[in-house]
Amino acid sequence: MSMIIAGRFQLQDDVDRARSALVDAGFEADRISGFYLSQPGQHDMTPIGGDNLQSPGAKDTPEGVVQGMATGGAVGVAVGAATSPITGPIGPIVGGLVGGHIGSLFSFSKMKDRGEPEEGGENAVAPRTAGMLVAVAFTDPALEARAVDLLRGLGAHHIERAQGNIVAGDWADFDPSSLPDVIA
């Protein structure tokens, strides 16, 4: 694995200019990668598309549905049983079903709002934003500051550090959903 420094640019012309400048600065051309990074959630990493099978903000929802249905169903059965002289034997059944349905809405309280921190810090660092990315790989740690300064001087933003392999201009082990180690 190599050290990788990557920076985001707005235009393809900026990416081309950055690639040329990195080569002119002595970085190997086949260890420089330039590509477009899609919006978070749109990386087609699962069989049904997207990045996750379940929204990270909704991971507690199944537990909330079970708790809500059990509590609502129990309350509904009790209310239905209390009203059974009026509603007959169908009262507890309907009461349990209606109570379970209303109780399942309790799961909404288990969902996280956009940007709300997860317990355990899953979203403590913002995900990568979409845009043109230029990355350069090298093995000599002394080249890190040089790569950062060069990308920054060319107008890159969201400069980050990573470990990986760039082979023939392709960042082979890039994980778009991993959290970036942002430098600047």
Side-chain angles (χ1 to χ4, degrees):
M1 289 225 168
S2 301
M3 162 100 36
I4 295 176
I5 298 296
R8 194 149 340 332
F9 290 92
Q10 292 296 318
L11 304 172
Q12 181 64 46
D13 290 341
D14 296 334
V15 169
D16 296 339
R17 197 168 32 100
R19 289 175 78 107
S20 294
L22 286 164
V23 170
D24 291 345
F27 291 96
E28 297 175 42
D30 64 338
R31 301 200 66 201
I32 299 170
S33 181
F35 57 95
Y36 180 77
L37 178 63
S38 300
Q39 291 284 345
Q42 298 179 359
H43 299 119
D44 198 26
M45 297 173 64
T46 67
I48 60 171
D51 295 350
N52 303 298
L53 290 174
Q54 181 180 17
S55 171
K59 70 178 181 184
D60 294 329
T61 301
E63 176 185 319
V65 169
V66 171
Q67 289 174 350
M69 285 182 65
T71 303
V75 169
V77 167
V79 170
T83 61
S84 64
I86 298 170
T87 60
I90 194 96
I93 296 169
V94 171
L97 291 173
V98 170
H101 175 70
I102 292 171
S104 71
L105 300 178
F106 173 73
S107 66
F108 290 126
S109 69
K110 293 290 189 176
M111 291 184 190
K112 305 291 185 222
D113 291 328
R114 181 182 177 110
E116 180 182 346
E118 293 284 330
E119 294 176 23
E122 290 179 29
N123 64 351
V125 176
R128 290 180 177 90
T129 57
M132 299 299 298
L133 201 66
V134 172
V136 59
F138 47 87
T139 53
D140 183 1
L143 295 175
E144 178 180 351
R146 191 165 151 201
V148 170
D149 291 342
L150 184 61
L151 290 175
R152 187 178 289 130
L154 292 167
H157 53 94
H158 295 97
I159 298 173
E160 64 181 83
R161 175 186 304 114
Q163 295 287 321
N165 295 304
I166 296 178
V167 180
D170 181 37
W171 189 346
D173 51 2
F174 178 69
D175 179 3
S177 63
S178 66
L179 296 177
D181 179 9
V182 178
I183 297 172

